[in-house]
Amino acid sequence: MTQVVATTPGLFPLPDWAKDELSRLKGHQKSDLVSGEEGPEIVDAYDRAREEVVGVQTDAGLDRVTEGQLRWDDMIAHPLAVADSVETRGIVRYYNNNNFYREPVVTGDLEASGDVAGELDAAAEHVDAGLQAVLPGPYSLADLATDEHYGDEAAFLDAVADFLADEADQFPDVETLFLLEPSLVENAPGEGADERASEAIDTVASAVDADVVAHTYWGALDEKVYAHLMDAAVDAIGFDLVADHEQNIYNVQEYGTKDDVALGLVDGQNTFVETPETIRERVEWFVEQTDGDYDTVYATANTELFYLPQNKFEAKIEALADAAAIEEVEA
């Protein structure tokens, strides 16, 4: 019997009131973005916004509740952007869309800041069960950053993985950890680097006593990259069924997958709201196509959700929760 768990990959839109309040407090310049050294008024605004989005998820009925990453001005590059030995420089396009992040340039030995752990500690005060952490995957974070210190791609990836593992080691108790790895699709690692990418994921996954999901999106993995990812010691791999269901299904049919899977079932970049019935049908379809006997299916959005207006974000997580509650899946 398969358990369907409703969740998200985090990175939520700020509540509208928080956008206005933080715009007034922070301004609009690059120097006004989150640095990890915000003043008390800004910290208080984020605390209230965090409590609100935790409540929205709980009220919707999600099985896993994230902190929301509302402070992440730089999307998944945030943990580096607020770390010591990292300078933020020019504005860079965030993959193939109209969002931008500050280029994190590593200029010295990386050390965990505890910033993400602090956010989770704050969220844990409002979550009775099912707290979920979100981190960039090491390959994607290294791909988004610039190295001016380690001098070698392999050494830099190892350093980023150790940095994330040290950050994860400071987490409070969490049920799951989503490692976001869009670069495995968007800028796939080549020969040799594909194996190192999976080893780097191992490093981060081993730092937490929680179920770990390597969530990939914006398409499907190259076959060889997927085969190496199967060697990583994660509990589940995420598949973006919105962007490319055919190749994702092929990879599973050809190479198998983990006992658990995460399925990107709703479009995190489109305001059209899928119905719970449609979401559930997509779960059933994936299980049938792959002939899987899964322990857990994480029903989630394919991408981060910060692209959406607040009302559409709330409608999508309600649909995911309702879909998970419809009925249990027979393998």
Side-chain angles (χ1 to χ4, degrees), residues 43-75:
V43 170
D44 177 67
Y46 278 119
D47 284 347
R48 285 182 280 120
R50 180 185 299 109
E51 182 176 359
E52 180 173 315
V53 298
V54 166
V56 166
Q57 295 170 85
T58 303
D59 292 344
L62 288 184
D63 300 296
R64 296 288 185 271
V65 175
T66 75
E67 183 272 326
Q69 294 76 50
L70 303 176
R71 292 176 58 251
W72 291 28
D73 285 324
D74 299 284
M75 285 73 83

Side-chain angles (χ1 to χ4, degrees), residues 144-166:
L144 295 179
T146 299
D147 170 39
E148 291 187 356
H149 176 67
Y150 291 94
D152 173 84
E153 284 189 9
F156 184 51
L157 178 59
D158 288 346
V160 170
D162 289 340
F163 164 77
L164 291 171
D166 289 345

Side-chain angles (χ1 to χ4, degrees), residues 190-203:
E191 183 76 22
D194 44 14
E195 185 175 1
R196 289 197 298 273
S198 294
E199 292 170 351
I201 291 171
D202 274 347
T203 298

Side-chain angles (χ1 to χ4, degrees), residues 103-289:
E103 179 191 15
V105 181
V106 178
T107 58
D109 288 344
L110 286 171
E111 294 183 8
S113 66
D115 184 273
V116 179
E119 292 177 326
L120 284 167
D121 284 332
E125 297 178 5
H126 309 292
V127 180
D128 293 331
L131 182 62
Q132 175 173 293
V134 175
L135 278 175
Y139 178 76
S140 294
L141 188 56
D143 180 50
L144 295 179
T146 299
D147 170 39
E148 291 187 356
H149 176 67
Y150 291 94
D152 173 84
E153 284 189 9
F156 184 51
L157 178 59
D158 288 346
V160 170
D162 289 340
F163 164 77
L164 291 171
D166 289 345
E167 188 75 45
D169 186 54
Q170 300 179 48
F171 286 176
D173 290 340
V174 296
E175 291 283 334
T176 49
L177 166 62
F178 261 53
L179 294 176
L180 307 184
E181 282 284 20
S183 289
L184 287 178
V185 174
E186 288 282 333
N187 186 22
E191 183 76 22
D194 44 14
E195 185 175 1
R196 289 197 298 273
S198 294
E199 292 170 351
I201 291 171
D202 274 347
T203 298
V204 184
S206 65
V208 294
D209 183 16
D211 292 332
V212 178
V213 179
H215 190 52
T216 67
Y217 47 96
W218 289 325
L221 296 173
D222 171 85
E223 288 184 51
K224 192 171 180 183
V225 173
Y226 181 76
H228 279 296
L229 185 57
M230 277 294 293
D231 292 332
V234 297
D235 298 279
I237 294 173
F239 302 97
D240 182 348
L241 300 188
V242 175
D244 191 345
H245 62 278
E246 291 185 356
Q247 183 62 38
N248 275 308
I249 287 290
Y250 170 82
N251 284 342
V252 177
Q253 291 173 335
E254 190 70 15
Y255 300 99
T257 192
K258 304 289 185 178
D259 292 337
D260 302 338
V261 292
L263 304 181
L265 301 163
V266 304
D267 193 338
Q269 296 180 278
N270 190 311
T271 57
F272 174 79
V273 179
E274 299 83 352
T275 67
E277 291 75 19
T278 296
I279 296 168
R280 193 67 191 212
E281 287 171 3
R282 290 173 179 176
V283 173
E284 306 283 356
W285 178 81
F286 179 88
V287 172
E288 291 172 3
Q289 292 295 313

